[in-house]
Amino acid sequence: MLKIFRASILHTPQSPFSSGKLVGFADGGLVVQGSKILALNDFKKVQNDYPSAKIIHYKNSFLIPGLVDSHVHYPQIPVIAAMGLRLLDWLEQRTLPAEAKLKDKAIAKQQAKVFLKQLARNGTTTALVFGAHFATAMEEFFKQADKSNLRITAGLVLGDRLLQPDLYTSPQKAYTESKELIEKWHNKNRLRYAITPRFSVSCSDEILAVCEKLLNEYPDVYFTTHINEQKEEIDLVKEQFKSKDYLATYEKHNLITSRSVLAHNVHPSENELKRISRANASVAHCPSSNMFIGSGLFNMLKHLEHNVKFALGSDVGGGTGFSILKEGLMSYQAQMLQEKPYPLDSSHLLYLATLAGAEVLGLDKIIGDFSNNKEADFVVIKAKQKSTLAQNLKHSNSAEDSLASIFTLAREESIKEVFVAGKSVL
Ligand SMILES: [Zn+2]
């Protein structure tokens, strides 16, 4: 059935980092047929063009493309807000014990359900999800992800050292379990698989070699891991691998390709940035996590200079919640705090929260903005009556202003509706 969704509509069909601009319709109409976008224009115009369409009017609301989270951990809701620890202690004392609980299938199922619901409640329609260390937990996760209708790319997390022993796998087990999960879930409906070694610290060369073997056997799966998050971690990796830098430990096994998404990259060398760019690999930029765990400020300018793709990630539970809108604000603040401030505007933030995420995940032909024929993934945002957001929006003079208010003040409570491929997922 033909539908027109009426609201203030905003999107970034081209990157504002390279001459694209915010495109907005104060009284817009998004025409949706089944799962696809047929047209976007002023409401009056599309009403004329499609007189038989059913009109869904969201009064005093904004409609933006579905948000994309390029790095978030399924087992880590219990870890959010674990204060006072830097990365390696945070992992040992709080995170790994929480992850070990997913050995229990019932807990894994329950956490998968809750996790996916929280993504949707925050307006996230697409995510690259760092999984659990247990194949049984990932089986439950993929089942629930399929039911949720969200666009999820995820994989079994692999590690065989410097974790707690109940999280260890072996090269043989890592290979067999990953293969089974790929065969069953990769490209099933909206699901895709990502080979996921935890990070070089916890992976022997044998485990990384298994990742390479799997990528060779399944050339269209994704690859994700962590890189260059904290100085102590980087030193540890260099020492373990006798390696010139962190990236080289993955490159040795041909793991850095156009389908690789590397989380953090807060402390890269110029040379690593060059090589990430040459490989056309991407970075998940997780500002709230980088500040919470004390990792540092992401150098956006350097990534732009080297033409490295990046998008926003919440990194729950290092991050402080699921809101990609909040990550946009934190990213803005991180760039204002650089020695040489790099001031972003609200169109950059929208791009980073939507189309950039789609590009990083190789989904930009399908989602990320409201171009005709893309899938109808979108979020309706409405300020609660009497909220600070509602009061602030009254003083907005432009679409850019309103969008800046949304990134600064709109959170879970302002997400009114969330659609994936034309269907509500709330
Ligand atoms: Zn992470």
Side-chain angles (χ1 to χ4, degrees), residues 195-266:
I195 312 284
T196 311
R198 181 155 204 123
F199 59 161
S200 285
V201 172
S202 70
C203 293
S204 65
D205 265 313
E206 288 72 26
I207 289 290
L208 296 176
V210 164
C211 297
E212 181 180 11
K213 190 170 149 87
L214 287 163
L215 279 176
N216 285 335
E217 284 178 38
Y218 300 96
D220 68 332
V221 300
Y222 262 69
F223 173 84
T224 192
T225 190
H226 296 98
I227 196 167
N228 291 327
E229 187 173 359
Q230 286 200 352
K231 296 237 159 89
E232 303 91 301
E233 171 215 18
I234 297 167
D235 292 342
L236 187 56
V237 169
K238 282 194 204 163
E239 188 193 311
Q240 282 170 319
F241 285 85
K242 308 287 173 240
S243 168
K244 63 172 171 178
D245 55 35
Y246 205 144
L247 186 66
T249 62
Y250 299 129
E251 284 173 330
K252 186 178 168 190
H253 298 280
N254 299 309
L255 301 175
I256 306 302
T257 74
S258 60
R259 293 184 317 284
S260 307
V261 182
L262 307 169
H264 304 305
N265 212 31
V266 178

Side-chain angles (χ1 to χ4, degrees), residues 279 283 396:
V283 168
S396 164

Side-chain angles (χ1 to χ4, degrees), residues 71 73 226 264 315:
H71 184 72
H73 291 255
H226 296 98
H264 304 305
D315 195 25

Side-chain angles (χ1 to χ4, degrees), residues 14-303:
Q14 270 164 3
S15 169
F17 291 101
S18 55
S19 77
K21 287 202 165 50
L22 179 68
V23 175
F25 298 88
D27 183 11
L30 182 72
V31 186
V32 174
Q33 185 163 41
S35 65
K36 297 248 167 123
I37 294 164
L38 212 57
L40 167 64
N41 215 319
D42 288 321
F43 172 72
K44 288 266 152 54
K45 165 97 174 83
V46 294
Q47 192 187 26
N48 247 330
D49 291 349
Y50 302 94
S52 64
K54 182 181 172 193
I55 294 160
I56 297 120
H57 189 181
Y58 295 112
K59 288 182 187 149
N60 300 317
S61 300
F62 295 87
L63 200 153
I64 62 172
L67 301 169
V68 180
D69 190 338
S70 64
H71 184 72
V72 57
H73 291 255
Y74 145 46
Q76 291 189 11
I77 289 181
V79 186
I80 298 172
M83 291 184 174
L85 299 164
R86 286 178 63 79
L87 178 65
L88 297 175
D89 293 332
W90 176 85
L91 279 167
E92 187 188 331
Q93 293 174 35
R94 300 293 296 267
T95 307
L96 300 179
E99 298 220 0
K101 291 191 179 149
L102 273 76
K103 191 171 187 173
D104 182 322
K105 224 170 131 175
I107 292 176
K109 181 178 176 181
Q110 181 55 24
Q111 288 212 18
K113 276 188 181 174
V114 171
F115 173 86
L116 292 156
K117 212 59 208 170
Q118 291 315 116
L119 285 179
R121 286 197 176 113
N122 282 274
T124 296
T125 51
T126 296
L128 175 57
V129 178
F130 225 86
H133 283 269
F134 306 100
T136 46
M138 288 316 291
E139 179 66 27
E140 284 305 323
F141 179 77
F142 278 119
K143 255 188 228 166
Q144 298 304 325
D146 196 26
K147 276 190 201 164
S148 77
N149 276 331
L150 299 174
R151 289 178 208 281
I152 301 289
T153 306
L156 175 67
V157 182
L158 307 174
D160 63 348
R161 64 179 183 191
L162 290 185
L163 299 168
Q164 55 186 63
D166 46 354
L167 297 176
Y168 291 164
T169 187
S170 65
Q172 185 53 48
K173 193 173 160 204
Y175 176 74
T176 321
E177 290 181 344
S178 302
K179 198 175 164 69
E180 266 176 36
L181 288 165
I182 293 169
E183 297 274 351
K184 187 157 176 196
W185 297 106
H186 182 55
N187 286 334
K188 177 155 195 264
N189 300 321
R190 291 184 193 94
L191 306 178
R192 301 185 309 172
Y193 197 85
I195 312 284
T196 311
R198 181 155 204 123
F199 59 161
S200 285
V201 172
S202 70
C203 293
S204 65
D205 265 313
E206 288 72 26
I207 289 290
L208 296 176
V210 164
C211 297
E212 181 180 11
K213 190 170 149 87
L214 287 163
L215 279 176
N216 285 335
E217 284 178 38
Y218 300 96
D220 68 332
V221 300
Y222 262 69
F223 173 84
T224 192
T225 190
H226 296 98
I227 196 167
N228 291 327
E229 187 173 359
Q230 286 200 352
K231 296 237 159 89
E232 303 91 301
E233 171 215 18
I234 297 167
D235 292 342
L236 187 56
V237 169
K238 282 194 204 163
E239 188 193 311
Q240 282 170 319
F241 285 85
K242 308 287 173 240
S243 168
K244 63 172 171 178
D245 55 35
Y246 205 144
L247 186 66
T249 62
Y250 299 129
E251 284 173 330
K252 186 178 168 190
H253 298 280
N254 299 309
L255 301 175
I256 306 302
T257 74
S258 60
R259 293 184 317 284
S260 307
V261 182
L262 307 169
H264 304 305
N265 212 31
V266 178
H267 306 283
S269 66
E270 293 275 344
N271 195 266
E272 284 178 301
L273 284 166
K274 248 183 229 165
R275 281 144 55 208
I276 293 171
S277 173
R278 208 183 303 140
N280 199 20
S282 303
V283 168
H285 163 38
C286 311
S288 84
S289 167
N290 295 160
M291 291 184 212
F292 191 86
I293 314 182
S295 304
L297 302 177
F298 177 78
N299 195 326
M300 192 173 285
L301 196 55
K302 281 250 176 278
H303 283 73

